[in-house]
Amino acid sequence: SSQESHLVVTADDAGELRVHALRVVARRENRTKDEEEKLAHSGRQMSKLNVTANFSCSFALPSAQALGGGEQPKLVTVLPIDRGEKVYFLTGDTLGGISVFFRNGTLKGRVRVTEDPGGVRGLLKGQSQLVLFFSSHSFGSFSVTQVDVQATPCSGWNAPVHDVVLDPGYQSSRVVLSLSDGDVLVYSTTRGKSKACDLTLKFPHVTTQPFKLQVFRGHIMALTAPLADDPRSAEHLREIYFFNLAAMEEGYGPSPSRTVTLQASFKPRQPEDLALSVAMGAGGQPDRSKAHIGVRFVDVKGVELYGLTLKSPANTQASAAISSGGLIGGEPDEPTWWSAVLGWVPKLGIFGLSLTGIVVWSLGRASGGGLGAGDEIDEEFFQEQLRKARDTERAARGGSRGGAGVTEDDD
């Protein structure tokens, strides 16, 4: 849809869906000269917003009779898909089925993608005209045009999935899962040019409550969201964590990892849900440097809007280069011979080689300014210089290892 015309899909508990054509136009109001001067002095720009909604069509999930009898599926999630001039509506139901409808409400097809309890829990827009679906213990890619699953769904965790987002830095090949026990896992769906299901990252465990996830500028925004059936859900403190993906990719060590860039609390108010809005820049492309977060609080009417400014991690560009190479359909860069040598030779070995070169140069000067074919070297002098060089290297090793002793044979 265009910036003025939109399609809005609504659904009820009975599984009936309605489509409305929504048109939003901003026009300047007719004002007098005095009113224009007052607005100019105040610095505000007032415009009139015209919103028109027209009913388009309605449809419902296939009945139990149409599915061959048995239980009637219940609607869980809805996703509109724009494929050029064609618009489709996807639905996920409690029986694990995904149904595809045309814009006029006609059923294109339905396929069962999972047998997990609760059926399809969510649908997300992916790359290459694919849709990612997820259930309690699996996720996979779904083709809208073929109405079929493209590969074997990925699975392998114990706690049910609560929320899922795609990492845009890897062109949808990295899937971030929020589990109901508070764990957050990152899976890679490609390995070179092949399909895969590899666990690549695990977030630090900071809470026993599940997260609602958003992605922004190399960070994962995670809002603690207690389960609805938790009798103590009102007692849990709800905060927003900003996890730095680049810091986690570097690994963990004895020093602070700075994995959690920010931890925002609104106490005593409890945020219930949030939405990320990215401003549109030139050419209709999203300007991710300007963003806002809409936060809805428990027992509070309305939505509060906050400005969001985040600095991208230092190696975001490097990860993007990896995604366009080894992880997304390409081959990883081949290491050069020099990088291979540097990776194999320890730093202390390089120090020893340099020290040996200095010793040889010093011996050359002591023996008469050079080491020609006819020059002779005093063996005792050479042993003495070599012993001093080893003592110096041993002292250097002891300092770099915190004073640990190193014994070597002088012979």
Side-chain angles (χ1 to χ4, degrees):
S1 59
S2 64
Q3 295 185 6
E4 294 185 352
S5 301
H6 307 270
L7 290 177
V8 178
V9 184
T10 58
D12 55 25
D13 294 337
E16 184 177 358
L17 297 95
R18 300 175 182 84
V19 181
H20 288 78
L22 189 68
R23 184 175 177 82
V24 182
V25 181
R27 293 190 177 94
R28 295 188 60 183
E29 294 181 316
N30 295 327
R31 306 183 184 92
T32 63
K33 186 176 181 180
D34 293 338
E35 292 175 341
E36 291 286 351
E37 291 179 354
K38 290 181 180 179
L39 288 174
H41 288 298
S42 64
R44 295 183 300 172
Q45 295 182 357
M46 302 292 290
S47 59
K48 185 177 181 180
L49 194 65
N50 292 333
V51 181
T52 304
N54 295 319
F55 177 76
S56 178
C57 66
S58 65
F59 53 94
L61 293 178
S63 62
Q65 183 177 1
L67 298 177
E71 183 181 356
Q72 173 65 34
K74 296 180 181 179
L75 183 65
V76 178
T77 180
V78 181
L79 179 67
I81 293 293
D82 188 356
R83 293 288 182 254
E85 297 180 354
K86 295 182 179 181
V87 178
Y88 300 97
F89 301 111
L90 276 67
T91 63
D93 57 55
T94 54
L95 299 184
I98 295 180
S99 302
V100 181
F101 296 87
F102 291 103
R103 180 172 178 173
N104 60 1
T106 304
L107 179 64
K108 175 180 174 66
R110 180 185 182 274
V111 63
R112 188 171 185 178
V113 297
T114 180
E115 297 183 358
D116 292 337
V120 178
R121 296 197 172 189
L123 299 169
L124 296 174
K125 293 181 181 179
Q127 295 287 339
S128 303
Q129 298 185 352
L130 294 178
V131 173
L132 182 136
F133 68 89
F134 65 92
S135 62
S136 62
H137 290 84
S138 65
F139 70 86
S141 297
F142 180 81
S143 172
V144 178
T145 56
Q146 299 178 10
V147 194
D148 198 5
V149 179
Q150 294 299 294
T152 303
C154 186
S155 60
W157 51 91
N158 294 325
V161 173
H162 184 75
D163 197 12
V164 175
V165 292
L166 298 173
D167 185 356
Y170 288 83
Q171 301 181 5
S172 301
S173 72
R174 288 216 314 186
V175 183
V176 185
L177 307 178
S178 169
L179 306 185
S180 60
D181 60 358
D183 281 336
V184 180
L185 309 178
V186 181
Y187 278 84
S188 177
T189 60
T190 59
R191 189 188 307 120
K193 296 182 179 180
S194 304
K195 299 293 184 179
C197 178
D198 297 332
L199 177 63
T200 56
L201 284 177
K202 182 178 181 181
F203 284 29
H205 193 83
V206 297
T207 179
T208 59
Q209 304 302 313
F211 287 113
K212 291 182 179 179
L213 305 178
Q214 295 279 352
V215 185
F216 182 70
R217 293 179 67 86
H219 292 78
I220 297 293
M221 290 189 304
L223 170 64
T224 50
L227 298 174
D229 56 356
D230 187 354
R232 301 179 55 189
S233 60
E235 302 176 8
H236 297 294
L237 180 62
R238 305 186 184 189
E239 299 175 308
I240 301 178
Y241 293 83
F242 290 80
F243 292 97
N244 188 334
L245 289 172
M248 285 184 284
E249 289 175 353
E250 293 177 359
Y252 305 104
S255 60
S257 64
R258 302 187 182 275
T259 297
V260 180
T261 303
L262 176 65
Q263 181 178 349
S265 175
F266 300 87
K267 193 175 180 180
R269 296 186 299 172
Q270 297 276 60
E272 186 174 9
D273 203 354
L274 61 84
L276 177 66
S277 175
V278 180
M280 301 302 293
Q285 298 297 323
D287 184 4
R288 305 197 71 84
S289 62
K290 301 177 182 178
H292 294 85
I293 300 179
V295 183
R296 179 165 55 88
F297 293 93
V298 178
D299 299 330
V300 176
K301 295 182 178 180
V303 176
E304 295 190 10
L305 200 61
Y306 296 85
L308 177 61
T309 302
L310 275 177
K311 184 178 180 181
S312 297
N315 63 347
T316 298
Q317 294 181 353
S319 64
I322 293 175
S323 68
S324 62
L327 289 181
I328 307 298
E331 296 296 332
D333 295 336
E334 293 293 335
T336 62
W337 68 270
W338 180 244
S339 64
V341 170
L342 291 180
W344 178 76
V345 178
K347 292 183 178 179
L348 287 176
I350 297 176
F351 171 78
L353 292 175
S354 303
L355 188 60
T356 303
I358 294 174
V359 171
V360 173
W361 177 77
S362 300
L363 290 177
R365 294 189 58 183
S367 61
L371 290 177
D375 294 334
E376 295 181 358
I377 300 177
D378 188 354
E379 183 175 355
E380 292 182 1
F381 177 77
F382 178 80
Q383 293 289 347
E384 180 64 23
Q385 295 297 325
L386 186 59
R387 187 178 295 106
K388 290 181 180 181
R390 288 178 175 177
D391 292 340
T392 304
E393 184 178 358
R394 186 183 301 111
R397 288 187 179 181
S400 63
R401 297 183 182 179
V406 180
T407 59
E408 292 187 6
D409 188 7
D410 289 340
D411 293 335

